[in-house]
Amino acid sequence: LRLWVAASDYSGELTISNEILKRVVESYRRIRNTLRFLLANLDDFDLARHRLPAEEWVEIDRFALELARQLQGELTGHYERYEFHLAMQKFVKFCSEDLGSFYLDILKDRLYTTAQDSKPRRSAQNALWHIANSLLRLMAPVLSFTAEEAWEVLNRNPERCIFEEEWYALPSSRLQPSALDDWKNILQIRELSNKKIEEKRAQGVVGSSLQAELDIYTDGPTLESMQRLGDDLKFAFIVSRATAHQRQGELTVDVTPSTHKKCERCWHYRADV
């Protein structure tokens, strides 16, 4: 009910029904599932022992931190102007799309298959720690009980409750503006490649996205954005191979099933299995 109130535009007439509340419940579930993922993957993380300077983080972790910074700036502005419905719309979208469908989806491979104390895994946890601290404060004015419950899990029985805190001071990502543009380019290409993979899945050509291999044809800044990542490009697209080729004209994505065997640990189809 608190989420429905906050998500409603009070400048016009308000409506409520079972159908509307079902949609609100779905939004709340997305938020809660996002928090469960963050808290579960921070269970063995201690900032005092595992802190890494931002320049040592994997680049996508630094990009995710910038997305969180942008969200926090927009939401605090909406709160100050009493635009609660806009704040909640953006908060839900961030949890379901920027985090759920993009960053956390890509992160699973690294969190689940790299060594527990490895730098790639600790890099991800550093980013998740700061993002979680920002999100809990942003949701606390509306989803007060959930925020307090998650706050106690994140900080392991803290002395102060979340309502004694102020907005979180996110650290600098040390990400260059050009790198920020590169990741925005990759986000757009990823959306197109996902549609192409879905088409092949519907035809029965591939099963999971990891069974697919991508050949992407483009030029200019878009090509440079992808080539800069090298072999790591496949992790951004959650496929077993992603290769960027130079070709003028409209950007095209070719999807083919991998001819290699599946690794039982990381689920990638690799020539060395």
Side-chain angles (χ1 to χ4, degrees):
L1 282 173
R2 292 178 68 94
L3 183 55
W4 168 72
V5 171
S8 300
D9 183 359
Y10 61 80
S11 64
E13 290 188 1
L14 301 187
T15 55
I16 188 169
S17 67
N18 286 335
E19 192 59 40
I20 290 172
L21 289 178
K22 282 180 184 176
R23 291 199 293 269
V24 177
V25 166
E26 187 57 39
S27 295
Y28 173 69
R29 187 175 288 116
R30 288 176 189 167
I31 295 169
R32 192 174 177 90
N33 285 344
T34 301
L35 294 181
R36 284 167 62 88
F37 184 95
L38 296 176
L39 296 175
N41 285 287
L42 289 169
D43 186 60
D44 69 332
F45 181 76
D46 180 359
L47 187 66
R49 290 189 296 126
H50 304 130
R51 183 196 297 270
L52 287 176
E55 51 267 25
E56 294 184 20
W57 295 10
V58 175
E59 194 173 271
I60 192 173
D61 299 333
R62 296 156 72 185
F63 176 61
L65 187 67
E66 285 304 314
L67 292 178
R69 188 190 317 284
Q70 179 181 333
L71 177 79
Q72 181 167 300
E74 292 178 2
L75 260 62
T76 52
H78 288 313
Y79 278 144
E80 288 168 7
R81 296 186 295 272
Y82 297 92
E83 296 168 344
F84 305 115
H85 62 294
L86 296 178
M88 285 300 98
Q89 284 172 16
K90 290 182 179 179
F91 189 87
V92 173
K93 181 176 181 290
F94 183 80
C95 289
S96 63
E97 295 182 16
D98 292 345
L99 286 185
S101 298
F102 173 61
Y103 180 55
L104 302 185
D105 201 22
I106 292 171
L107 214 54
K108 290 173 185 173
D109 275 355
R110 189 158 25 115
L111 287 169
Y112 300 164
T113 65
T114 56
Q116 181 177 2
D117 203 34
S118 64
K119 186 174 282 189
R121 184 168 180 271
R122 294 304 186 196
S123 167
Q125 287 182 311
N126 271 262
L128 294 181
W129 168 264
H130 293 298
I131 291 170
N133 269 281
S134 174
L135 291 184
L136 291 184
R137 289 165 169 83
L138 289 171
M139 66 186 278
V142 178
L143 298 173
S144 306
F145 301 102
T146 306
E148 180 68 4
E149 178 188 354
W151 177 255
E152 291 177 357
V153 174
L154 181 66
N155 292 282
R156 297 175 177 84
N157 301 316
E159 295 179 3
R160 289 156 55 98
C161 82
I162 193 169
F163 304 105
E164 295 177 84
E165 300 293 326
E166 296 185 357
W167 302 129
Y168 189 59
L170 288 160
S172 170
S173 66
R174 308 287 183 187
L175 196 64
Q176 296 297 322
S178 59
L180 203 58
D181 292 337
D182 285 343
W183 279 103
K184 289 176 180 176
N185 283 336
I186 289 168
L187 265 174
Q188 292 177 337
I189 302 161
R190 189 174 183 269
E191 192 175 333
L192 175 62
S193 71
N194 284 345
K195 289 179 182 176
K196 296 288 186 180
I197 293 170
E198 278 302 317
E199 290 173 4
K200 295 294 184 181
R201 184 181 284 125
Q203 296 167 10
V205 176
V206 298
S208 71
S209 65
L210 283 174
Q211 197 177 350
E213 295 185 354
L214 300 182
D215 288 287
I216 306 162
Y217 299 91
T218 186
D219 60 357
T222 305
L223 177 68
E224 293 170 8
S225 297
M226 290 185 290
Q227 288 183 334
R228 195 173 61 82
L229 289 182
D231 192 47
D232 285 348
L233 186 63
K234 67 183 181 184
F235 296 113
F237 291 98
I238 316 181
V239 293
S240 286
R241 178 183 63 78
T243 309
H245 308 274
Q246 181 163 11
R247 189 169 73 188
Q248 291 184 339
E250 186 179 357
L251 186 147
T252 56
V253 178
D254 290 343
V255 180
T256 54
S258 176
T259 58
H260 303 303
K261 290 185 178 181
K262 178 181 177 181
C263 171
E264 292 184 3
R265 178 168 175 79
C266 71
W267 291 15
H268 284 249
Y269 290 72
R270 299 168 55 97
D272 57 0
V273 176

